[in-house]
Every structure is written in C-alpha cells, then in structure tokens.
Amino acid sequence: MKNREKTPSEVAFNREYTETVGEITSPNPRIECRGVQVHYGEKLAISGVSLDIGRNEVIALIGPSGCGKSTFLRCLNRMNDTIPACRVSGEITLDGRNIYDPTVDVVPLRAQVGMVFQKPNPFPKSIFENVAYGPRIHGLVASKVELEEVVESSLRRAGLWDEVKDYLHQPGTSLSGGQQQRLCIARTIAVNPEVILMDEPCSALDPIATAKIEQLIDELRSQFTIAIVTHSMQQAARVSQRTAYFHMGRLIEVGETARIFTNPHHQLTEDYITGRFG
C-alpha cells in the first residue's frame, strides 16, 4: 500500500516542534501535569505534555490513532504502571499532591481517579454486587442498609436505577451494551471519586445508547472532573468545555471547545478537524 503523503504542516512539525498553542493552565485545577513523558522501552510515546484539568469540567482529548491521547489518560491514575516496559516521568499532581510520589498507594488513587473503559467490563457478578464491590472493599459503608443506599444512589446518578431496580440480582452481563456501560459508570462513582477518566466510552455503542451516555456525562460534570478520549469530534463538541488536540505524542493545542472547532490556531489542529488527515 502506498504511504499517504504528509501535509505541509506535518512536514514542518517533523522539522521543528513548537510549544503547545493555547492556555494549558486552569484557574481552578484539580489535576496539573507538567513535562509528562512516557516511554515504552526505547520508544517515546508522550513528549513533554503540560496540561491542567479543571474542577467540574469535561475536557476532551482528541487526535489521530496512535497520537498518545489514551496513553496520557492512563497516566492520570497510573494505569500505565501495569505495563512493565512503560516509564513515566514529569509531574502529575491531584489536588496538589504528586501521584507518582513513592508514598502514594495506587489502590486508593484509582478510587479517587476512576476509569471507564472503551468496552463495557462489568464484573461476573450481579448488578447489585457490581456497584457494591468498591464501597465494600474500600470500607466506605458500615452496614447493609448503608450499602444498599450507596448502590441505589450510584445507579440513580448513572441514570440506570429505573431500568434495573427490579433485577438487581441478575448478572451485570445480562444488560445491553449501553446499560453495561452505565453500570460501569455507576460502579466508578460508587467509591466517591474526584475525577472520572473515560477512554472512548461510546465507541462500541449504538446512537441511542451513546446519546444517553453523553447526557449522563453532562449531568455528572456538576459533581466530578471528567477527561474523555474520543475519536468523534462531534461528541467532543457536544460534551466538553475544553478540548486538547494531540499529535505524535505531543499536545499541539488546547482551548475552549467552541474555539478549537471554529477557530483553531495551529495548522495541525485545523488539518485534523477539517479531515485532511486522521
């Protein structure tokens, strides 16, 4: 297969990298990233990314396949620790504390910064037990009644209670794909996280289920900070307040979503949004 010719902006990018365009800081940051680099063995996957993620905002991470957006997302709750060849450097702070400090326990960290994956992954347990699992193992409830209240509250916040309240003891895997994804969101919020990370949460869903997840994201923003990786620019435009564009492991541009999609300031961003590559 003949390789695609590089656009002039890609050629210029390969010759000389310029600093991120746009304001990387947030007036009320929950997460602050400075000079983040990720290596897989000798390969540099993320290069010098600095970015704040504000409280009660949705930030969309967009860019072509392989640009590093999912790798960067996984840095935010140390999911990359599970990959032996992966090395992360730079600084990432959550509420002012460096999450890569050796004294940080990753188990409570991943409760604080929850992850919703591309493919729904309910546990092989009942709907009730899927949501109850986290609060139980983290010691967040003191009684059965309290646990039941947490499960109901989490399912309500995930927009799923009315659909499953009469079937709580059926397997979570018996639900439709969209319901399974909302169950996974309920499971995530049941442990009272501060941040929710979403890695293409709608890519396996039909348009109706996708619309429900997007509505849910908008509702959850008042309670949580949310970072979402998406290949759908329409979805990014619908659900986010800020958008960050990644290319070849670097953060090219970040800004208010409306501005990024109507008046991008970097040529690479414009090329991607207008469909010239990606």
Side-chain angles (χ1 to χ4, degrees):
M1 181 183 292
K2 190 175 181 180
N3 291 333
R4 176 183 62 81
E5 290 186 7
K6 289 183 171 61
T7 66
S9 55
E10 286 181 287
V11 173
F13 175 86
N14 289 332
R15 285 202 306 266
E16 180 180 1
Y17 169 65
T18 56
E19 294 297 318
T20 299
V21 172
E23 184 55 66
I24 65 166
T25 61
S26 169
N28 191 15
R30 173 136 273 168
I31 294 178
E32 297 174 89
C33 306
R34 295 294 180 268
V36 175
Q37 298 209 138
V38 179
H39 285 83
Y40 292 115
E42 298 301 314
K43 180 184 177 183
L44 181 63
I46 296 286
S47 179
V49 171
S50 296
L51 178 67
D52 287 356
I53 300 176
R55 296 170 190 269
N56 304 116
E57 79 169 6
V58 180
I59 185 167
L61 312 181
I62 66 170
S65 296
C67 69
K69 55 190 184 294
S70 290
T71 294
F72 176 74
L73 189 78
R74 291 195 300 269
C75 290
L76 303 181
N77 70 346
R78 294 183 54 174
M79 285 294 293
N80 288 322
D81 288 12
T82 62
I83 304 172
C86 185
R87 304 191 319 276
V88 179
S89 58
E91 185 174 80
I92 300 175
T93 61
L94 172 65
D95 295 330
R97 186 183 186 191
N98 184 2
I99 68 171
Y100 283 86
D101 187 288
T103 63
V104 170
D105 185 340
V106 297
V107 174
L109 171 67
R110 289 174 188 157
Q112 283 181 285
V113 186
M115 175 79 84
V116 177
F117 295 94
Q118 180 176 2
K119 184 178 179 181
N121 61 340
F123 298 147
K125 299 173 180 287
S126 69
I127 295 168
F128 182 92
E129 286 299 327
N130 262 271
V131 183
Y133 180 80
R136 188 182 283 127
I137 66 167
H138 288 289
L140 300 179
V141 291
S143 67
K144 181 181 178 182
V145 170
E146 193 174 347
L147 181 62
E148 290 172 348
E149 290 174 351
V150 169
V151 170
E152 179 176 344
S153 172
S154 300
L155 288 168
R156 285 188 183 280
R157 291 156 86 189
L160 194 56
W161 174 253
D162 289 338
E163 297 170 42
V164 303
K165 62 183 179 181
D166 297 325
Y167 312 100
L168 292 178
H169 297 292
Q170 291 190 6
T173 52
S174 67
L175 299 174
S176 69
Q179 289 174 322
Q180 286 186 32
Q181 194 65 296
R182 281 183 284 150
L183 177 62
C184 292
I185 292 172
R187 186 178 68 195
T188 298
I189 63 182
V191 294
N192 295 320
E194 297 180 31
V195 181
I196 300 176
L197 311 177
M198 297 184 168
D199 193 357
E200 297 189 62
C202 302
S203 65
L205 305 181
D206 61 58
I208 293 174
T210 294
K212 288 184 178 180
I213 297 292
E214 290 180 357
Q215 180 182 355
L216 175 58
I217 291 170
D218 189 57
E219 293 169 356
L220 293 176
R221 178 170 67 90
S222 64
Q223 305 159 56
F224 305 101
T225 294
I226 299 174
I228 178 172
V229 166
T230 178
H231 272 111
S232 168
M233 286 179 281
Q234 293 84 0
Q235 182 171 82
R238 287 191 296 263
V239 304
S240 69
Q241 289 72 56
R242 291 171 73 218
T243 294
Y245 172 65
F246 284 75
H247 183 84
M248 294 175 62
R250 289 169 172 144
L251 177 57
I252 302 302
E253 184 169 0
V254 61
E256 292 185 5
T257 295
R259 200 272 299 163
I260 290 288
F261 283 102
T262 58
N263 185 28
H265 292 169
H266 197 290
Q267 187 63 49
L268 276 171
T269 313
E270 182 175 346
D271 287 350
Y272 180 73
I273 287 171
T274 56
R276 290 180 194 151
F277 68 87

